[in-house]
Amino acid sequence: MPQRHGAPPLSDAGALDCAAVYTRGVPHGRFARLRSRTPVVWQDGRTAGRPGAWAVLRYADVHRALTRPGLFRPQSDGVLHGPMIADVPDGARPGRRPPGTALIDMDPPARAMLGRIPRREPADFVADVAPDLPETLRNTLAGGLYALLRHPEQYGRLREERSDERLVDSAVEEMLRWWTPVLQVWRTVRRGTVVGGVPLLAGERVTLWLVSANHDEEVFPEPERFVPERFALGARPHLCFGSGHRACLGARLTRVHLRALLVALLEHPRTLRLAGEPLPVRSSARHGFERLPVRWTG
């Protein structure tokens, strides 16, 4: 029967690569249904304007692919996920850096950033507070902050228990897992193999959905909940930065910045709250905000 009104509905698999879907948030329900039925599923790529690929959704399968670069060759997705540091030539004068070298601030000015939020006026975290940060780092900080704003009871609890270093460290990892700033990474199959019961051929592309793996209920019970103590209680490592010797070089930098922001928030005399409706980025690869309005209360 012909479709008379509007476009046909997207299937769960078809929706995963549709950028418009993510303007309403990550479709965790679709990921969960696919993990339970078809954890390795074909995506034709048309909604994303690229070649088709096998979507790998379960934690165990994603972890296996990430730790076997000899079998799954990494592909660049055009997004800079970590800092790129050029070698400094011998004899370079202190205080000067060659073109292409990025400065890494391992003592992030988190309190100065929060100082950009007026005492009585709302501000946009993206445009007003962290506009000068690299995109992926900015998305990570915004996502970690959003985890607190969406879970005010945990925000309050962390403020009361901020002297517990182990809890704070665990909360940083839970922010990364709960948000997952890079949704997917790409690989090419080097030789025939089987993943999740599906035969894959040499030369075929796969997308490893980090956000799905990090919300796999078989590994992280009640994955939609933000549980600050989850990793202090022995949860398996999340896959935000990949795994193995090809893990993201920016992992340490990201953790340092996110922890500094969390500590600055917990020590601030006032509490940050949402000041309007956030606007997520329109992307099936990057997880961030176009706009995240916040304001101080208390």
Side-chain angles (χ1 to χ4, degrees):
M1 180 177 293
Q3 184 79 21
R4 296 186 181 276
H5 300 288
L10 282 170
S11 66
D12 284 339
L16 297 190
D17 235 6
C18 179
V21 168
Y22 293 81
T23 60
R24 300 185 294 275
V26 173
H28 287 296
R30 294 179 186 266
F31 279 114
R33 288 192 293 272
L34 287 168
R35 281 195 304 270
S36 67
R37 299 194 308 254
T38 52
V40 177
V41 62
W42 178 255
Q43 296 177 279
D44 62 26
R46 287 179 296 178
T47 56
R50 57 176 175 244
W54 291 100
V56 181
L57 306 177
R58 290 189 305 200
Y59 181 100
D61 296 329
V62 171
H63 182 267
R64 174 174 177 260
L66 288 171
T67 55
R68 289 165 172 79
L71 183 56
F72 297 91
R73 184 175 71 245
Q75 281 187 278
S76 172
D77 55 8
V79 179
L80 179 61
H81 301 312
M84 295 185 66
I85 307 301
D87 293 333
V88 179
D90 293 337
R93 287 191 292 170
R96 300 193 64 179
R97 29 182 204 113
T101 303
L103 287 177
I104 299 182
D105 187 355
M106 296 304 283
D107 184 21
R111 289 176 176 80
M113 288 173 54
L114 294 182
R116 298 172 183 174
I117 305 174
R119 288 178 56 86
R120 295 179 177 83
E121 300 289 333
D124 178 5
F125 185 85
V126 176
D128 302 325
V129 180
D132 48 346
L133 294 179
E135 181 185 16
T136 303
L137 180 56
R138 182 172 62 248
N139 289 344
T140 304
L141 298 188
L145 171 59
Y146 188 60
L148 296 181
L149 302 180
R150 281 285 307 275
H151 301 85
E153 71 290 346
Q154 298 294 357
Y155 187 178
R157 176 191 163 206
L158 285 168
R159 293 188 72 181
E160 293 174 0
E161 301 180 34
R162 61 182 179 271
S163 61
D164 186 339
E165 297 284 333
R166 190 160 174 259
L167 177 62
V168 171
D169 288 340
S170 178
V172 169
E173 299 306 310
E174 178 69 345
M175 286 174 164
L176 290 165
R177 180 204 69 83
W178 186 82
W179 184 249
T180 309
V182 177
L183 299 175
Q184 56 169 304
V185 293
W186 305 343
R187 298 290 188 267
T188 299
V189 180
R190 288 180 180 266
R191 59 184 182 274
T193 187
V194 176
V195 178
V198 176
L200 305 183
L201 303 178
E204 289 188 316
R205 288 162 44 100
V206 297
T207 54
L208 307 179
W209 285 90
L210 306 180
V211 69
S212 178
N214 283 342
H215 284 254
D216 188 338
E217 53 284 324
E218 294 297 319
V219 179
F220 304 107
E222 299 183 274
E224 298 308 304
R225 289 183 58 215
F226 173 70
V227 184
E229 68 273 22
R230 188 187 297 271
F231 290 90
L233 296 177
R236 293 189 66 180
H238 60 73
L239 300 179
C240 277
F241 303 116
S243 187
H245 71 277
R246 290 195 63 91
C248 176
L249 294 175
R252 185 182 174 208
L253 170 70
T254 300
R255 285 186 169 102
V256 166
H257 275 261
L258 186 54
R259 194 184 197 283
L261 178 65
L262 175 58
V263 170
L265 283 166
L266 300 182
E267 293 179 347
H268 199 282
R270 310 183 84 188
T271 301
L272 212 56
R273 295 287 188 241
L274 283 172
E277 191 67 25
L279 178 62
V281 168
R282 183 187 177 96
S283 173
S284 61
R286 298 172 291 112
H287 195 195
F289 292 101
E290 296 285 355
R291 183 176 66 248
L292 181 61
V294 296
R295 71 184 310 152
W296 295 115
T297 63

